[in-house]
Amino acid sequence: MATDSPFIRNLASSDKEIRDNALDSLRTYLGGRSEISELDLLKLWKGLFYCLWMQDKPALQQRLSRDLASLVSTLRSGVALPFIRAFFLTMAREWTNIEALRLDKYLYLIRQYMHASFQYLATKKWKKAVLEEWNTIVEETPLNPTNMKIPNGLRYHVLDVWVDELEKVESDWENEKKQEVLETLVQPIEKLAKNTGLKVVREAAKETLAEDTLRTWRGQKDETMAEPESEEDDEWGGFED
């Protein structure tokens, strides 16, 4: 599927019928595949990224973002997580090209994809193998603790929406049977808080872990949180030779 095809461009159309037909065609194409190569997924996401880029009307931007996120629910098991991975790789690659006036629509798209990802994990009944594959994706790109090529803006936004979007999908985390699932889900954030060399990113990760909702889920409501890092703490200066 060519990334510059009329099919891709039609997803950004202001004509509802044209847009809906294009979305249905994409769902059919993706839903019928049991496997898609990484290269093809990245090519597809490049087209989808610029499809949203071309959409200037706020209401249609949000509609398109929701439509793109809804694709996850139509994908087969062998395609869903690779598709999500290609999304995050694309966002990381294109982040510095996003102009300030276009940033909000991509932040909204990321929020929608966090929700769609958690919804996918829920439909898989939070199976450990699926959770671990999801964590691998998250640790590779949006919450990677050591790769300085990952934009901090992407890290911050994923952290910012993490608890909200998880709560929309599942809020009964105080159930003892779900504690293991929750502890697996927070591992990438804990690794980021511990292992990244950038103080501002560490603090952002710690703020997410300190959110009241998450602490309540984890049974930490009455525990004392670690003291914030000293202002004198040195910033990370890069890898040593």
Side-chain angles (χ1 to χ4, degrees), residues 128 131-132 135 179-188:
K128 190 172 183 62
L131 291 176
E132 290 175 348
N135 279 359
Q179 284 295 300
E180 183 178 354
V181 171
L182 182 60
E183 291 307 311
T184 300
L185 282 171
V186 300
Q187 285 175 6

Side-chain angles (χ1 to χ4, degrees), residues 211-227:
E211 287 194 31
D212 286 344
T213 299
L214 181 55
R215 283 170 54 75
T216 298
W217 290 344
R218 302 179 77 188
Q220 299 175 336
K221 191 64 176 175
D222 298 325
E223 296 180 11
T224 302
M225 289 295 292
E227 291 294 324

Side-chain angles (χ1 to χ4, degrees), residues 84-146:
I84 293 170
R85 176 176 179 267
F87 162 72
F88 281 119
L89 287 172
T90 300
M91 291 305 305
R93 183 188 66 224
E94 301 291 345
W95 189 268
T96 56
N97 297 324
I98 301 175
E99 303 160 356
L101 292 176
R102 286 188 163 97
L103 183 59
D104 281 352
K105 58 183 171 183
Y106 287 104
L107 295 179
Y108 186 77
L109 178 64
I110 292 167
R111 177 182 284 274
Q112 295 305 305
Y113 258 83
M114 288 300 294
H115 181 86
S117 297
F118 288 139
Q119 188 66 60
Y120 174 77
L121 297 178
T123 63
K124 295 300 179 181
K125 301 186 184 302
W126 308 101
K127 291 180 181 177
K128 190 172 183 62
V130 181
L131 291 176
E132 290 175 348
E133 187 176 353
W134 158 251
N135 279 359
T136 298
I137 292 169
V138 174
E139 291 172 17
E140 176 191 20
T141 309
L143 299 185
N144 188 306
T146 58

Side-chain angles (χ1 to χ4, degrees), residues 17-31:
E17 183 175 358
I18 293 175
R19 189 175 63 244
D20 288 349
N21 287 338
L23 183 65
D24 288 342
S25 296
L26 183 56
R27 285 193 178 118
T28 300
Y29 168 77
L30 292 174

